Amino acid sequence: MQLGYVAKRCGVFLLIIWLAATLNFFLPKLSGQDPVREKLLQQAQLGGYVQAGIEAMAKEYEQRFGLDKPLWSQYLAYLHEMSRLRFNYSISHYPRTVSEIMAEAIPWTVVLLGTTTVLSFTIGTLLGALLAWPGAPRSLRFLMPPLWALHAIPFFLCGLILIYLLAFQLQWLPMFGGYTAGAFPALSLAFVGDVLTHAILPALSIILVATGGWALTMRGMMVTTQGEDYVTFAEAKGLKSRTVFLRYCVRNAILPQTTALALALGQILSGAVLVEVIFAYPGIGTVLFHAIRENDHFLIQGIVFSVIVALGVATLLLDVLYPWLDPRITYRRA
Amino acid sequence: MPEQDRLGRLSRRAFIQAGLLGAGVAALLPVSVPVAKPRDVPRNRTLTLVWTGREGRWIDHELWNPYAIGSNHQSGPGIFYEPLAYYSAFADKEYLWLAESYAYSPDFKELIITTRSGITWSDGVPFSAEDVAYTLNSLRDLGPKVRWGVDVQQFMQEARVTDPHTVVVTFKMPAPRFFYFMTYKYDIGVYIVPQHIFQDQDWTTFKHFDLEKDWPVTTSPWKVVFASPEQKIIDRRDTWWAAKARLASMPKVERNIWLPSAGEQQLAQALITNQVDYSMSIQPATMPTVFRQNPKITTHSGQKPPYGYMDWWPYSLYVNNEKPPFNDKDIRWALSSFIDRQQIVDVSWAGAAEPSPLPLPAYPALLPYINAVKDILAKYNTLEFNPKKGEAMFSAKGWKKDSAGIWVDPQGLRLSLDIISPGALGSAVGPVISEQLKRQGVDATFSLPPDFDIRFQKGQYTGALYGHGGSVNDPYHTLRLYQGASVAVPGAHLVNFAKWKNEAYDQIVDEVFATDMRDQARLLELFRKAMEIWIPELPDIPLTYNYHRIPMNTTYWKNWPTAENPYVNGAFWHLTYAMVLWNLQPTQ
């Protein structure tokens, strides 16, 4: 029975991937733009001068990218390449391939967003649970208005404020970049420290904003859970307040948060686009932003396809793992 | 249940441990590590600059072959490929470099270039005439596949080596500007490549980057020591043929760091805190803030407007001359009368600009040409703001204003003008000019379409804001921007963004093409004849000069190119940046 459930989920997973990949192929084409010609024109017009022979050059490169073939042929080639996780050349980074570019940028984003997502989830969930708990210190309640206010502003705006205060005025932290300008990467503690120092401001701008969201949803779930019979029963049994809080309330209230966390982790690959852009942080968000601006079909397709797969895998894992996390959920039909 | 608890605790612990381990490993993954740690260079011998990049990262850090598609000489490769000659428009001076001399045949169908002796590539192989001939012949053969290929293919028959220091270039037609075309100035010039490195490579994909092999191979005093999406680091080599030959002094800059821009706000802050010495242009409104907080920042014009120098790219309001009613010169003149250029200067550029009467910059070598047509400009004032004159022109043609105050032609069609533009120019000027035109009864709109380049090039526009990448030392390159057809240059790629056609004008420009660049008297005569047609016709509507407002930090470096010391224009993204590098002096 369990095997059938997993097989069915895997089937749905593959269907979703195919549908999303198909949309991913056709949507950028709908813009009607010609990315190769635009790229060449940009290059040809460097400094305002217009170079000769752009038409001939564009034809040459359209052939090289396979863009001279009929759309159905491009689509089949695309599906074939995607199924082997092989991506084309990037139009805007030519002659670099999409895979090379992604391999370079993804680790930066995974480190930044993985850490910030887990941290903001942990802090936010804990704060949310405490805020709904009658036994929590009253002083905690003062945290809620600023957390909600921060949650209402975009990451990048928070980032700009932090840059001004902590990097420009106080000069405590670096303004931008993945590491100090002029520093040579090395497998040393000093360099790792430098990388981490540069990640503090972008990370902080995400954590400050995201924590409020996690706290808000957790608080709502806690309020609902506290009204459940099993909590009243636990209190009536005379269990310690800490036990009721952690084992009876938090444990039950955290399930929707776990789902959201899995989806948030799945979305990591799309990056925190504007945060990465304003901090010149070399992650996948800046790559995606650039790819969209330059209408680089192949790079957009590569990144979006990776996000789709990551989200699909996260959802599949959740589907499979949920019954283990919550015994009330079963593989069997009701 | 206890078993599940235990499993749960183990999972959490394992998760946290795995997470921490993963984070630690991942923190080290993103960075590319150099093959060997380069030497330490103190800050006061380091020149840190910020250039555009793309969204805060370099996308071409592995591309040091400027002919590869995707490569861009503006992002560093420019200084590695020394030219046959440099030209400084500000000094109006040619500096012969890899070439010792050159001479054309009387009919300009042959060019003899003599290269200097004593020059070696960085791998020890001597530089020779073979490298020049190989570069030119390859460009001819590659044609549209690489930058400058079509330009060379169009003119050149063959480049032949007659001895180790002599190249004879033969042309299909007279080509009196071919050496000038190859000369480095602004963004134009042919990059001479090492034959022994490039000969077995596909120029379109060859990166010419390998730190272990000390690539890119160069005759310049520069060496790439590190390149990643975050930064490009270029160090000075120990020796340089040009210093030995006393053509230039050995650069005092020992390290040049190129950073991609994270945005103007961050850039301004980095200039204020002395993290950056030199940067791309910033908005005039930002300049006073930067000066106030860091008095060591200066520009070409010091700390006074226009906070920079006049670029070679005066811009205009283009109207598509093929589309009615803009195919009528009187309508173009009427629009010109509706535009208050001083207001554009004041509002769009915070007072830091000047109106341009013609589509060419007022550079020393071009001033005689501009002065030669002053009387025509007095009769046809291209800068005149006179709405009444414009209204009279419309009325004389039977146009009337409708109830909304918009001009309507005798057939009842409203006067609409959709203006498109690229980037910074459009953001600054677009809203102002469209509002000015609206107030005069033109249904003007403004947008920044992402496919501007294609639409503009193909003539799929009604109105556009754009500049003129034309002349800096003789009038031909600006004049040819308006040619509708050319007999002198068969198969020429014609720019003609305005889509204006005039056969008499075309013939004059063909005559200019065939005229020796040094024959100023004849060129003046032809330029005047061309302007006698161009100015009354007004194919596009001149607005203001363009400026490069480049901040230069005097904390660590002095002898920047400025109005008092104009040895070259200060754009480090131009092919003449090497001249700035060998002129800079440390302050400490």
Side-chain angles (χ1 to χ4, degrees), chain A residues 232-251:
Chain A
T232 313
F233 181 65
E235 285 168 346
K237 276 207 304 184
L239 291 177
K240 283 182 186 169
S241 175
R242 182 190 159 99
T243 310
V244 177
F245 174 69
L246 287 175
R247 295 284 172 86
Y248 287 75
C249 293
V250 171
R251 196 168 173 193

Side-chain angles (χ1 to χ4, degrees), chain A residues 123 125-148 215 219 245:
Chain A
I123 300 167
T125 302
L126 191 64
L127 275 177
L130 288 171
L131 283 166
W133 188 244
R138 289 177 67 85
S139 55
L140 270 180
R141 290 180 196 173
F142 293 106
L143 276 178
M144 217 51 214
L147 276 178
W148 287 344
R219 183 175 168 272
F245 174 69

